[in-house]
Amino acid sequence: MRNLRFRSAAATATTALVAALALTACGQTDTASADTKPDAKTTSTATSTPKDDSTSKPDEATDKPQDSSGQNAETASSNSGGKGAGSDTGKSNSSNKSDTRTTCTGGNTKVTVTNVTRPINHLLVTATNTGKGTCDAYYAPLLGFDDAQAVTQINEDSKPQAVVTLAPGESAYASIALGGDGSPDIAAYKLSVHFAGRANQGSVGSPANLTLPKGTLISDTTSVSYWQSTMADALTW
């Protein structure tokens, strides 16, 4: 009986020990499971890419949009601005070219001849620039009355200090002293107005052919003044 009780007690102790070991093993398994179970918040933090100022901040040199040639758009725009400046310069040169002076002729002016009341026995010749550029009225108009073979004499005392330059729309003036040193007594009907060149070696360009005011009389000493910039200056001769 004592052996049976001893064995029963030993078996009971063994069973208790096994149960304890089993419980311990289970506890360790639960702990390991709990330890190895990933924490959602921790995982999210661990897997997120850390912020790197050197990579997240755009590089000013490389972040600018580029054109098809690889240039930064800003640089290309600056270069384009330079070309624009070149274009403005070219425009200016073109404008200067259009303002190049030419000689006034019957082709780029409108010429008229009119009577004046003062001084008596005088006509006024007016040449108005009808071209797009500036023209110079050199020396004096070269006049031919009717079929005269010689050019009407020029009053050298009327020579101005400078050549008369006409912008588009401006006019030059010359007076014709019909009597000259005498009295006009020769009837005249037509007048051709030629323009002198810069070298004053004959006429240049086309002439203006005009009809004289009715009743015009000339003389052998009729003279014409140099081109003047104002009507008043022309009529002093």
Side-chain angles (χ1 to χ4, degrees):
M1 288 296 288
R2 290 180 178 176
N3 290 336
L4 181 58
R5 288 179 180 177
F6 177 77
R7 289 176 181 174
S8 177
T12 302
T14 301
T15 301
L17 177 62
V18 171
L21 292 174
L23 289 173
T24 301
C26 289
Q28 291 176 347
T29 302
D30 292 341
T31 302
S33 175
D35 292 340
T36 57
K37 183 178 179 181
D39 180 74
K41 183 176 181 181
T42 303
T43 303
S44 174
T45 304
T47 56
S48 63
T49 303
K51 184 176 180 181
D52 187 349
D53 292 339
S54 63
T55 58
S56 62
K57 184 178 180 179
D59 185 358
E60 293 181 358
T62 58
D63 192 50
K64 294 177 181 178
Q66 295 184 338
D67 60 14
S68 58
S69 65
Q71 282 187 307
N72 286 339
E74 182 177 345
T75 304
S77 175
S78 176
N79 291 339
S80 173
K83 292 180 182 179
S87 300
D88 291 343
T89 303
K91 186 176 180 182
S92 177
N93 290 338
S94 175
S95 177
N96 290 339
K97 184 176 180 181
S98 67
D99 288 341
T100 299
R101 291 186 180 183
T102 59
T103 301
C104 297
T105 68
N108 57 19
T109 62
K110 179 181 180 180
V111 184
T112 61
V113 57
T114 56
N115 270 319
V116 293
T117 57
R118 291 285 186 276
I120 62 171
N121 296 328
H122 275 68
L123 296 176
L124 180 68
V125 178
T126 304
T128 303
N129 183 356
T130 57
K132 295 182 179 180
T134 300
C135 74
D136 290 320
Y138 292 106
Y139 304 100
L142 307 177
L143 304 183
F145 288 92
D146 293 331
D147 298 325
Q149 299 299 311
V151 175
T152 301
Q153 64 182 342
I154 297 170
N155 184 346
E156 293 295 337
D157 292 337
S158 66
K159 186 175 182 179
Q161 294 182 348
V163 173
V164 177
T165 298
L166 304 180
E170 292 183 340
S171 301
Y173 306 89
S175 64
I176 303 173
L178 296 173
D181 294 332
S183 297
D185 54 3
I186 304 171
Y189 305 95
K190 301 290 183 182
L191 178 67
S192 61
V193 181
H194 295 257
F195 290 80
R198 183 174 183 178
N200 198 23
Q201 299 295 319
S203 63
V204 296
S206 57
N209 296 304
L210 310 173
T211 299
L212 289 166
K214 186 177 181 180
T216 296
L217 298 174
I218 63 174
S219 69
D220 293 334
T221 57
T222 295
S223 64
V224 62
S225 73
Y226 274 72
W227 288 114
Q228 309 291 333
S229 58
T230 68
M231 185 186 304
D233 288 341
L235 293 176
T236 58
W237 305 103

